[in-house]
CSV table of all heavy atoms in Angstrom, one decimal:
chain,number,residue,atom,x,y,z
Y,1,MET,N,17.2,-4.7,-19.6
Y,1,MET,CA,16.6,-3.9,-18.5
Y,1,MET,C,15.1,-4.4,-18.4
Y,1,MET,O,14.4,-4.5,-19.4
Y,1,MET,CB,16.7,-2.5,-18.8
Y,1,MET,CG,16.1,-1.6,-17.7
Y,1,MET,SD,16.2,0.2,-18.0
Y,1,MET,CE,14.7,0.4,-19.0
Y,2,GLY,N,14.7,-4.6,-17.2
Y,2,GLY,CA,13.3,-5.0,-16.9
Y,2,GLY,C,12.5,-3.9,-16.4
Y,2,GLY,O,13.1,-2.9,-15.9
Y,3,LYS,N,11.2,-4.1,-16.4
Y,3,LYS,CA,10.3,-3.1,-15.8
Y,3,LYS,C,9.6,-3.7,-14.6
Y,3,LYS,O,9.0,-4.8,-14.7
Y,3,LYS,CB,9.2,-2.6,-16.8
Y,3,LYS,CG,9.8,-1.7,-17.8
Y,3,LYS,CD,8.7,-1.4,-18.9
Y,3,LYS,CE,7.7,-0.4,-18.4
Y,3,LYS,NZ,6.7,-0.1,-19.4
Y,4,TYR,N,9.8,-3.1,-13.4
Y,4,TYR,CA,9.3,-3.7,-12.2
Y,4,TYR,C,8.3,-2.7,-11.5
Y,4,TYR,O,8.5,-1.5,-11.4
Y,4,TYR,CB,10.4,-4.0,-11.2
Y,4,TYR,CG,11.3,-5.2,-11.7
Y,4,TYR,CD1,12.3,-5.0,-12.5
Y,4,TYR,CD2,11.0,-6.5,-11.2
Y,4,TYR,CE1,13.1,-6.1,-12.9
Y,4,TYR,CE2,11.8,-7.5,-11.6
Y,4,TYR,CZ,12.8,-7.3,-12.5
Y,4,TYR,OH,13.6,-8.4,-12.9
Y,5,LEU,N,7.3,-3.3,-10.9
Y,5,LEU,CA,6.4,-2.6,-10.0
Y,5,LEU,C,6.6,-3.1,-8.6
Y,5,LEU,O,6.5,-4.3,-8.3
Y,5,LEU,CB,4.9,-2.9,-10.4
Y,5,LEU,CG,3.8,-2.3,-9.4
Y,5,LEU,CD1,3.9,-0.7,-9.5
Y,5,LEU,CD2,2.5,-2.8,-9.8
Y,6,VAL,N,7.0,-2.2,-7.7
Y,6,VAL,CA,7.2,-2.6,-6.3
Y,6,VAL,C,6.1,-2.0,-5.5
Y,6,VAL,O,6.1,-0.8,-5.3
Y,6,VAL,CB,8.6,-2.1,-5.8
Y,6,VAL,CG1,8.8,-2.5,-4.4
Y,6,VAL,CG2,9.7,-2.7,-6.7
Y,7,THR,N,5.3,-2.9,-4.9
Y,7,THR,CA,4.2,-2.4,-4.1
Y,7,THR,C,4.8,-2.2,-2.7
Y,7,THR,O,5.6,-3.0,-2.2
Y,7,THR,CB,3.0,-3.3,-4.1
Y,7,THR,OG1,3.4,-4.6,-3.7
Y,7,THR,CG2,2.4,-3.4,-5.4
Y,8,GLY,N,4.4,-1.2,-2.0
Y,8,GLY,CA,4.9,-1.0,-0.6
Y,8,GLY,C,6.3,-0.4,-0.7
Y,8,GLY,O,7.1,-0.5,0.3
Y,9,GLY,N,6.7,0.2,-1.8
Y,9,GLY,CA,8.1,0.6,-2.0
Y,9,GLY,C,8.5,1.8,-1.3
Y,9,GLY,O,9.6,2.3,-1.4
Y,10,ALA,N,7.6,2.4,-0.5
Y,10,ALA,CA,7.9,3.5,0.4
Y,10,ALA,C,8.2,3.0,1.8
Y,10,ALA,O,8.5,3.8,2.7
Y,10,ALA,CB,6.8,4.6,0.4
Y,11,GLY,N,8.0,1.7,2.0
Y,11,GLY,CA,8.3,1.1,3.3
Y,11,GLY,C,9.6,0.5,3.5
Y,11,GLY,O,10.5,0.7,2.6
Y,12,TYR,N,9.8,-0.2,4.6
Y,12,TYR,CA,11.2,-0.7,4.9
Y,12,TYR,C,11.7,-1.7,3.9
Y,12,TYR,O,12.8,-1.5,3.3
Y,12,TYR,CB,11.1,-1.3,6.3
Y,12,TYR,CG,12.4,-1.8,6.8
Y,12,TYR,CD1,13.5,-1.0,7.0
Y,12,TYR,CD2,12.6,-3.2,7.0
Y,12,TYR,CE1,14.7,-1.5,7.4
Y,12,TYR,CE2,13.8,-3.7,7.4
Y,12,TYR,CZ,14.8,-2.9,7.6
Y,12,TYR,OH,16.0,-3.4,8.0
Y,13,VAL,N,10.9,-2.8,3.7
Y,13,VAL,CA,11.4,-3.8,2.8
Y,13,VAL,C,11.4,-3.4,1.3
Y,13,VAL,O,12.3,-3.5,0.6
Y,13,VAL,CB,10.6,-5.1,3.0
Y,13,VAL,CG1,11.0,-6.2,1.9
Y,13,VAL,CG2,10.8,-5.7,4.4
Y,14,GLY,N,10.2,-2.8,1.0
Y,14,GLY,CA,10.0,-2.4,-0.4
Y,14,GLY,C,11.0,-1.4,-0.9
Y,14,GLY,O,11.5,-1.4,-2.1
Y,15,SER,N,11.4,-0.4,-0.1
Y,15,SER,CA,12.3,0.6,-0.6
Y,15,SER,C,13.7,0.0,-0.8
Y,15,SER,O,14.4,0.4,-1.7
Y,15,SER,CB,12.4,1.8,0.5
Y,15,SER,OG,12.9,1.3,1.7
Y,16,VAL,N,14.1,-1.0,0.0
Y,16,VAL,CA,15.4,-1.7,-0.3
Y,16,VAL,C,15.3,-2.5,-1.6
Y,16,VAL,O,16.3,-2.5,-2.4
Y,16,VAL,CB,15.8,-2.6,0.9
Y,16,VAL,CG1,17.0,-3.4,0.6
Y,16,VAL,CG2,16.0,-1.7,2.2
Y,17,VAL,N,14.2,-3.2,-1.8
Y,17,VAL,CA,14.0,-4.0,-3.0
Y,17,VAL,C,14.1,-3.0,-4.2
Y,17,VAL,O,14.8,-3.3,-5.2
Y,17,VAL,CB,12.7,-4.7,-3.0
Y,17,VAL,CG1,12.4,-5.3,-4.3
Y,17,VAL,CG2,12.7,-5.8,-1.9
Y,18,ALA,N,13.4,-1.9,-4.1
Y,18,ALA,CA,13.4,-0.9,-5.2
Y,18,ALA,C,14.8,-0.4,-5.5
Y,18,ALA,O,15.2,-0.3,-6.7
Y,18,ALA,CB,12.4,0.2,-4.9
Y,19,ALA,N,15.5,-0.1,-4.5
Y,19,ALA,CA,16.9,0.4,-4.6
Y,19,ALA,C,17.8,-0.6,-5.3
Y,19,ALA,O,18.6,-0.3,-6.2
Y,19,ALA,CB,17.5,0.8,-3.3
Y,20,HIS,N,17.7,-1.9,-4.9
Y,20,HIS,CA,18.5,-2.9,-5.5
Y,20,HIS,C,18.2,-3.1,-7.0
Y,20,HIS,O,19.1,-3.3,-7.8
Y,20,HIS,CB,18.3,-4.2,-4.8
Y,20,HIS,CG,19.1,-4.3,-3.5
Y,20,HIS,ND1,20.5,-4.5,-3.6
Y,20,HIS,CD2,18.8,-4.3,-2.2
Y,20,HIS,CE1,21.0,-4.6,-2.3
Y,20,HIS,NE2,19.9,-4.4,-1.5
Y,21,LEU,N,16.9,-3.0,-7.3
Y,21,LEU,CA,16.5,-3.2,-8.7
Y,21,LEU,C,17.0,-2.0,-9.6
Y,21,LEU,O,17.5,-2.2,-10.7
Y,21,LEU,CB,14.9,-3.2,-8.8
Y,21,LEU,CG,14.3,-4.5,-8.3
Y,21,LEU,CD1,12.8,-4.3,-8.2
Y,21,LEU,CD2,14.6,-5.7,-9.2
Y,22,LEU,N,16.9,-0.8,-9.0
Y,22,LEU,CA,17.5,0.4,-9.7
Y,22,LEU,C,19.0,0.2,-10.0
Y,22,LEU,O,19.5,0.5,-11.0
Y,22,LEU,CB,17.2,1.7,-9.0
Y,22,LEU,CG,15.7,2.1,-9.0
Y,22,LEU,CD1,15.5,3.1,-7.9
Y,22,LEU,CD2,15.3,2.7,-10.4
Y,23,GLU,N,19.6,-0.2,-8.9
Y,23,GLU,CA,21.1,-0.4,-9.0
Y,23,GLU,C,21.5,-1.4,-10.0
Y,23,GLU,O,22.5,-1.3,-10.7
Y,23,GLU,CB,21.6,-0.9,-7.6
Y,23,GLU,CG,22.9,-0.3,-7.1
Y,23,GLU,CD,23.2,-0.7,-5.7
Y,23,GLU,OE1,22.6,-0.1,-4.8
Y,23,GLU,OE2,24.0,-1.6,-5.5
Y,24,ALA,N,20.6,-2.4,-10.3
Y,24,ALA,CA,20.9,-3.4,-11.3
Y,24,ALA,C,20.5,-2.9,-12.7
Y,24,ALA,O,20.6,-3.7,-13.6
Y,24,ALA,CB,20.1,-4.7,-10.9
Y,25,GLY,N,20.0,-1.7,-12.8
Y,25,GLY,CA,19.7,-1.1,-14.1
Y,25,GLY,C,18.3,-1.2,-14.5
Y,25,GLY,O,18.0,-1.0,-15.7
Y,26,HIS,N,17.4,-1.7,-13.7
Y,26,HIS,CA,16.0,-1.9,-14.1
Y,26,HIS,C,15.2,-0.6,-13.9
Y,26,HIS,O,15.6,0.3,-13.1
Y,26,HIS,CB,15.4,-3.0,-13.3
Y,26,HIS,CG,16.1,-4.3,-13.4
Y,26,HIS,ND1,16.2,-4.9,-14.6
Y,26,HIS,CD2,16.8,-5.1,-12.5
Y,26,HIS,CE1,16.9,-6.1,-14.5
Y,26,HIS,NE2,17.2,-6.2,-13.2
Y,27,GLN,N,14.0,-0.6,-14.6
Y,27,GLN,CA,13.1,0.5,-14.4
Y,27,GLN,C,12.1,0.2,-13.4
Y,27,GLN,O,11.5,-0.9,-13.4
Y,27,GLN,CB,12.4,0.7,-15.8
Y,27,GLN,CG,11.5,2.0,-15.9
Y,27,GLN,CD,10.9,2.1,-17.2
Y,27,GLN,OE1,11.4,1.7,-18.3
Y,27,GLN,NE2,9.6,2.5,-17.3
Y,28,VAL,N,11.9,1.1,-12.4
Y,28,VAL,CA,11.1,0.7,-11.2
Y,28,VAL,C,10.0,1.8,-11.0
Y,28,VAL,O,10.2,3.0,-11.0
Y,28,VAL,CB,11.9,0.7,-9.9
Y,28,VAL,CG1,11.1,0.5,-8.7
Y,28,VAL,CG2,13.0,-0.4,-10.1
Y,29,THR,N,8.8,1.2,-10.8
Y,29,THR,CA,7.6,2.1,-10.4
Y,29,THR,C,7.2,1.6,-9.0
Y,29,THR,O,7.1,0.4,-8.8
Y,29,THR,CB,6.4,1.9,-11.3
Y,29,THR,OG1,6.8,2.4,-12.6
Y,29,THR,CG2,5.2,2.8,-10.8
Y,30,VAL,N,7.1,2.5,-8.1
Y,30,VAL,CA,6.6,2.2,-6.7
Y,30,VAL,C,5.2,2.6,-6.6
Y,30,VAL,O,4.8,3.7,-6.9
Y,30,VAL,CB,7.5,3.0,-5.7
Y,30,VAL,CG1,6.8,3.0,-4.3
Y,30,VAL,CG2,8.9,2.3,-5.6
Y,31,LEU,N,4.4,1.6,-6.1
Y,31,LEU,CA,3.0,1.9,-5.8
Y,31,LEU,C,2.8,1.8,-4.2
Y,31,LEU,O,3.1,0.7,-3.7
Y,31,LEU,CB,2.0,0.9,-6.4
Y,31,LEU,CG,0.6,1.0,-6.1
Y,31,LEU,CD1,0.0,2.3,-6.6
Y,31,LEU,CD2,-0.2,-0.2,-6.6
Y,32,ASP,N,2.5,2.9,-3.6
Y,32,ASP,CA,2.3,2.9,-2.1
Y,32,ASP,C,1.3,3.9,-1.7
Y,32,ASP,O,1.2,5.0,-2.3
Y,32,ASP,CB,3.7,3.2,-1.5
Y,32,ASP,CG,3.8,2.8,0.0
Y,32,ASP,OD1,3.0,3.3,0.8
Y,32,ASP,OD2,4.7,2.0,0.3
Y,33,ASP,N,0.5,3.5,-0.7
Y,33,ASP,CA,-0.6,4.4,-0.3
Y,33,ASP,C,-0.1,5.3,0.9
Y,33,ASP,O,-0.9,6.1,1.4
Y,33,ASP,CB,-1.8,3.7,0.1
Y,33,ASP,CG,-1.6,2.7,1.3
Y,33,ASP,OD1,-0.5,2.7,1.9
Y,33,ASP,OD2,-2.6,2.1,1.7
Y,34,LEU,N,1.1,5.1,1.3
Y,34,LEU,CA,1.8,5.9,2.4
Y,34,LEU,C,1.0,5.8,3.7
Y,34,LEU,O,1.0,6.7,4.6
Y,34,LEU,CB,1.9,7.4,2.0
Y,34,LEU,CG,2.7,7.7,0.8
Y,34,LEU,CD1,2.8,9.2,0.5
Y,34,LEU,CD2,4.1,7.1,0.9
Y,35,SER,N,0.3,4.6,3.9
Y,35,SER,CA,-0.4,4.4,5.2
Y,35,SER,C,0.6,4.2,6.3
Y,35,SER,O,0.3,4.7,7.4
Y,35,SER,CB,-1.3,3.2,5.0
Y,35,SER,OG,-0.6,2.0,4.6
Y,36,THR,N,1.7,3.6,6.0
Y,36,THR,CA,2.8,3.6,7.1
Y,36,THR,C,4.1,4.0,6.5
Y,36,THR,O,5.0,4.3,7.3
Y,36,THR,CB,3.0,2.1,7.7
Y,36,THR,OG1,3.3,1.3,6.6
Y,36,THR,CG2,1.7,1.7,8.3
Y,37,GLY,N,4.3,4.0,5.2
Y,37,GLY,CA,5.5,4.4,4.6
Y,37,GLY,C,5.6,5.9,4.4
Y,37,GLY,O,4.7,6.7,4.6
Y,38,PHE,N,6.8,6.3,3.8
Y,38,PHE,CA,7.0,7.8,3.6
Y,38,PHE,C,7.5,8.0,2.2
Y,38,PHE,O,8.4,7.3,1.7
Y,38,PHE,CB,8.1,8.3,4.6
Y,38,PHE,CG,7.7,8.1,6.0
Y,38,PHE,CD1,8.1,6.9,6.7
Y,38,PHE,CD2,6.9,9.1,6.7
Y,38,PHE,CE1,7.7,6.8,8.1
Y,38,PHE,CE2,6.5,8.9,8.0
Y,38,PHE,CZ,6.9,7.7,8.7
Y,39,ALA,N,7.0,9.0,1.6
Y,39,ALA,CA,7.4,9.3,0.2
Y,39,ALA,C,8.9,9.5,0.1
Y,39,ALA,O,9.6,9.1,-0.9
Y,39,ALA,CB,6.7,10.5,-0.3
Y,40,ALA,N,9.5,10.0,1.1
Y,40,ALA,CA,11.0,10.3,1.2
Y,40,ALA,C,11.8,9.0,1.1
Y,40,ALA,O,12.9,8.9,0.8
Y,40,ALA,CB,11.4,11.1,2.4
Y,41,GLY,N,11.1,7.8,1.4
Y,41,GLY,CA,11.7,6.5,1.4
Y,41,GLY,C,11.8,5.9,0.0
Y,41,GLY,O,12.6,5.0,-0.2
Y,42,VAL,N,11.1,6.5,-0.9
Y,42,VAL,CA,11.1,6.0,-2.3
Y,42,VAL,C,12.5,6.3,-2.9
Y,42,VAL,O,12.9,7.5,-2.9
Y,42,VAL,CB,10.0,6.6,-3.1
Y,42,VAL,CG1,10.1,6.1,-4.6
Y,42,VAL,CG2,8.7,6.2,-2.5
Y,43,PRO,N,13.3,5.4,-3.3
Y,43,PRO,CA,14.6,5.7,-3.8
Y,43,PRO,C,14.6,6.6,-5.1
Y,43,PRO,O,13.7,6.5,-5.9
Y,43,PRO,CB,15.2,4.3,-4.1
Y,43,PRO,CG,14.1,3.4,-4.2
Y,43,PRO,CD,13.0,3.9,-3.4
Y,44,GLU,N,15.6,7.4,-5.2
Y,44,GLU,CA,15.7,8.3,-6.3
Y,44,GLU,C,15.8,7.5,-7.6
Y,44,GLU,O,16.5,6.5,-7.6
Y,44,GLU,CB,17.0,9.2,-6.2
Y,44,GLU,CG,17.0,10.2,-7.2
Y,44,GLU,CD,17.8,11.4,-6.8
Y,44,GLU,OE1,18.1,11.5,-5.6
Y,44,GLU,OE2,18.1,12.3,-7.6
Y,45,GLY,N,15.1,7.9,-8.6
Y,45,GLY,CA,15.1,7.2,-9.9
Y,45,GLY,C,13.9,6.3,-10.1
Y,45,GLY,O,13.6,5.9,-11.2
Y,46,ALA,N,13.1,6.0,-9.0
Y,46,ALA,CA,11.9,5.3,-9.2
Y,46,ALA,C,10.8,6.2,-9.4
Y,46,ALA,O,10.7,7.3,-8.9
Y,46,ALA,CB,11.6,4.5,-7.9
Y,47,GLU,N,9.8,5.8,-10.3
Y,47,GLU,CA,8.6,6.5,-10.4
Y,47,GLU,C,7.7,6.2,-9.2
Y,47,GLU,O,7.6,5.1,-8.8
Y,47,GLU,CB,7.9,6.1,-11.7
Y,47,GLU,CG,6.6,6.9,-12.0
Y,47,GLU,CD,5.8,6.4,-13.1
Y,47,GLU,OE1,6.2,5.5,-13.8
Y,47,GLU,OE2,4.7,6.9,-13.3
Y,48,PHE,N,7.1,7.2,-8.7
Y,48,PHE,CA,6.2,7.0,-7.5
Y,48,PHE,C,4.8,7.3,-7.8
Y,48,PHE,O,4.4,8.3,-8.3
Y,48,PHE,CB,6.7,7.9,-6.3
Y,48,PHE,CG,5.8,7.8,-5.1
Y,48,PHE,CD1,5.5,6.5,-4.6
Y,48,PHE,CD2,5.2,8.9,-4.6
Y,48,PHE,CE1,4.6,6.4,-3.5
Y,48,PHE,CE2,4.3,8.8,-3.5
Y,48,PHE,CZ,4.1,7.5,-2.9
Y,49,VAL,N,3.9,6.3,-7.5
Y,49,VAL,CA,2.5,6.5,-7.7
Y,49,VAL,C,1.9,6.2,-6.4
Y,49,VAL,O,2.0,5.2,-5.7
Y,49,VAL,CB,1.9,5.4,-8.7
Y,49,VAL,CG1,0.4,5.6,-8.8
Y,49,VAL,CG2,2.6,5.6,-10.1
Y,50,ARG,N,1.1,7.2,-5.9
Y,50,ARG,CA,0.5,7.0,-4.6
Y,50,ARG,C,-0.9,6.4,-4.8
Y,50,ARG,O,-1.7,7.0,-5.5
Y,50,ARG,CB,0.3,8.4,-3.9
Y,50,ARG,CG,-0.3,8.2,-2.5
Y,50,ARG,CD,-0.3,9.5,-1.7
Y,50,ARG,NE,-0.9,9.2,-0.4
Y,50,ARG,CZ,-0.9,10.1,0.6
Y,50,ARG,NH1,-0.5,11.4,0.4
Y,50,ARG,NH2,-1.4,9.8,1.8
Y,51,GLY,N,-1.1,5.3,-4.2
Y,51,GLY,CA,-2.4,4.6,-4.4
Y,51,GLY,C,-2.4,3.3,-3.7
Y,51,GLY,O,-1.3,2.8,-3.2
Y,52,ARG,N,-3.6,2.7,-3.6
Y,52,ARG,CA,-3.7,1.4,-2.9
Y,52,ARG,C,-3.6,0.2,-3.9
Y,52,ARG,O,-4.0,0.4,-5.0
Y,52,ARG,CB,-5.0,1.3,-2.2
Y,52,ARG,CG,-5.3,2.4,-1.2
Y,52,ARG,CD,-6.5,2.2,-0.3
Y,52,ARG,NE,-7.7,1.7,-1.1
Y,52,ARG,CZ,-8.6,0.9,-0.7
Y,52,ARG,NH1,-8.6,0.5,0.5
Y,52,ARG,NH2,-9.6,0.5,-1.5
Y,53,ILE,N,-3.0,-0.9,-3.4
Y,53,ILE,CA,-2.9,-2.1,-4.3
Y,53,ILE,C,-4.3,-2.4,-4.8
Y,53,ILE,O,-4.5,-2.8,-6.0
Y,53,ILE,CB,-2.3,-3.3,-3.5
Y,53,ILE,CG1,-0.9,-3.0,-3.1
Y,53,ILE,CG2,-2.4,-4.5,-4.3
Y,53,ILE,CD1,-0.4,-3.9,-2.0
Y,54,GLN,N,-5.3,-2.3,-3.9
Y,54,GLN,CA,-6.7,-2.7,-4.3
Y,54,GLN,C,-7.2,-1.8,-5.5
Y,54,GLN,O,-8.1,-2.2,-6.2
Y,54,GLN,CB,-7.6,-2.5,-3.1
Y,54,GLN,CG,-7.3,-3.3,-1.9
Y,54,GLN,CD,-6.3,-2.6,-0.9
Y,54,GLN,OE1,-5.4,-2.0,-1.3
Y,54,GLN,NE2,-6.6,-2.7,0.4
Y,55,ASP,N,-6.6,-0.6,-5.7
Y,55,ASP,CA,-7.1,0.3,-6.7
Y,55,ASP,C,-6.1,0.3,-7.9
Y,55,ASP,O,-6.1,1.2,-8.7
Y,55,ASP,CB,-7.3,1.7,-6.2
Y,55,ASP,CG,-8.3,1.7,-5.0
Y,55,ASP,OD1,-9.2,0.9,-5.0
Y,55,ASP,OD2,-8.1,2.5,-4.1
Y,56,ALA,N,-5.1,-0.6,-7.9
Y,56,ALA,CA,-4.0,-0.5,-8.9
Y,56,ALA,C,-4.5,-0.4,-10.3
Y,56,ALA,O,-3.9,0.3,-11.1
Y,56,ALA,CB,-3.1,-1.7,-8.7
Y,57,GLY,N,-5.6,-1.0,-10.6
Y,57,GLY,CA,-6.1,-0.9,-12.0
Y,57,GLY,C,-6.5,0.5,-12.4
Y,57,GLY,O,-6.5,0.9,-13.5
Y,58,GLU,N,-6.8,1.3,-11.4
Y,58,GLU,CA,-7.3,2.7,-11.6
Y,58,GLU,C,-6.1,3.6,-11.7
Y,58,GLU,O,-6.2,4.7,-12.3
Y,58,GLU,CB,-8.2,3.1,-10.5
Y,58,GLU,CG,-9.5,2.4,-10.5
Y,58,GLU,CD,-10.4,2.7,-9.3
Y,58,GLU,OE1,-10.2,3.8,-8.7
Y,58,GLU,OE2,-11.2,1.9,-8.9
Y,59,VAL,N,-5.0,3.3,-11.1
Y,59,VAL,CA,-3.9,4.2,-11.0
Y,59,VAL,C,-2.7,3.9,-12.0
Y,59,VAL,O,-1.9,4.7,-12.3
Y,59,VAL,CB,-3.3,4.4,-9.6
Y,59,VAL,CG1,-4.3,5.0,-8.7
Y,59,VAL,CG2,-2.8,3.1,-9.0
Y,60,LEU,N,-2.7,2.6,-12.5
Y,60,LEU,CA,-1.6,2.2,-13.4
Y,60,LEU,C,-2.2,1.8,-14.7
Y,60,LEU,O,-3.2,1.1,-14.7
Y,60,LEU,CB,-0.9,1.0,-12.8
Y,60,LEU,CG,-0.1,1.3,-11.4
Y,60,LEU,CD1,0.5,0.0,-10.9
Y,60,LEU,CD2,1.0,2.3,-11.6
Y,61,ASP,N,-1.6,2.2,-15.8
Y,61,ASP,CA,-2.1,1.7,-17.1
Y,61,ASP,C,-1.1,0.8,-17.7
Y,61,ASP,O,-0.1,0.4,-17.1
Y,61,ASP,CB,-2.4,2.8,-18.0
Y,61,ASP,CG,-1.4,3.9,-18.1
Y,61,ASP,OD1,-1.3,4.7,-17.1
Y,61,ASP,OD2,-0.7,4.0,-19.0
P,1,LIG,N1,15.7,-3.7,11.0
P,1,LIG,C1,15.1,-2.5,11.0
P,1,LIG,O1,15.7,-1.5,11.2
P,1,LIG,C2,13.6,-2.5,10.7
P,1,LIG,C3,13.0,-1.3,10.6
P,1,LIG,C4,11.6,-1.3,10.2
P,1,LIG,C5,10.9,-2.5,10.0
P,1,LIG,N2,11.6,-3.6,10.2
P,1,LIG,C6,10.9,-4.9,10.0
P,1,LIG,O2,10.4,-4.9,8.7
P,1,LIG,C7,9.1,-5.5,8.6
P,1,LIG,C8,8.1,-4.4,8.1
P,1,LIG,O3,8.6,-3.9,6.9
P,1,LIG,P1,7.6,-3.8,5.7
P,1,LIG,O4,8.4,-3.2,4.6
P,1,LIG,O5,6.9,-5.1,5.6
P,1,LIG,O6,6.5,-2.8,6.3
P,1,LIG,P2,6.4,-1.3,6.0
P,1,LIG,O7,5.2,-0.8,6.8
P,1,LIG,O8,7.7,-0.6,6.2
P,1,LIG,O9,6.1,-1.2,4.5
P,1,LIG,C9,4.8,-1.5,4.0
P,1,LIG,C10,4.5,-0.4,2.9
P,1,LIG,O10,3.3,-0.8,2.2
P,1,LIG,C11,2.5,0.3,2.2
P,1,LIG,N3,1.1,-0.2,2.1
P,1,LIG,C12,0.4,-0.8,3.1
P,1,LIG,N4,-0.8,-1.2,2.6
P,1,LIG,C13,-0.9,-0.8,1.3
P,1,LIG,C14,-1.8,-0.9,0.3
P,1,LIG,N5,-3.0,-1.5,0.5
P,1,LIG,N6,-1.6,-0.4,-0.9
P,1,LIG,C15,-0.4,0.2,-1.2
P,1,LIG,N7,0.6,0.3,-0.3
P,1,LIG,C16,0.4,-0.2,1.0
P,1,LIG,C17,2.8,1.2,3.4
P,1,LIG,O11,2.5,2.5,3.2
P,1,LIG,C18,4.3,0.9,3.5
P,1,LIG,O12,5.0,1.9,2.8
P,1,LIG,C19,8.8,-5.9,10.0
P,1,LIG,O13,9.1,-7.3,10.1
P,1,LIG,C20,9.7,-5.0,10.9
P,1,LIG,O14,9.9,-5.6,12.1
P,1,LIG,C21,12.9,-3.7,10.5
């Protein structure tokens, strides 16, 4: 099992990528600022962190 960070995972492409990774048994964290995406789009089972890629160092350890 791998650990993946999917940026933009509340959006169209990212949410599908995150869902496929979860389906394959991986651990997924989604980082998204919800500027155009929706929290409801984050697939179940993914950890969701609201934040900007530019600030990733501040929101992810
Ligand atoms: N076929 C369809 O039904 C369909 C539907 C929607 C979109 N599309 C296509 O998909 C493409 C767009 O999809 P996408 O997934 O690239 O865009 P998107 O806008 O759906 O996803 C981008 C995600 O990144 C997030 N984001 C943006 N800037 C960020 C930042 N600085 N830090 C953190 N998160 C940030 C947004 O909140 C959003 O959730 C386009 O080509 C569009 O035409 C197709």
Side-chain angles (χ1 to χ4, degrees):
M1 183 178 86
K3 285 176 75 175
Y4 289 85
L5 173 67
V6 180
T7 58
Y12 179 65
V13 173
S15 62
V16 173
V17 170
H20 279 287
L21 288 169
L22 287 164
E23 221 173 280
H26 301 298
Q27 188 179 324
V28 176
T29 298
V30 164
L31 174 68
D32 198 299
D33 65 359
L34 301 184
S35 54
T36 60
F38 300 92
V42 178
E44 187 152 352
E47 182 190 355
F48 176 53
V49 176
R50 184 173 183 175
R52 303 189 316 151
I53 295 167
Q54 299 90 317
D55 303 328
E58 293 171 24
V59 294
L60 297 174
D61 43 288

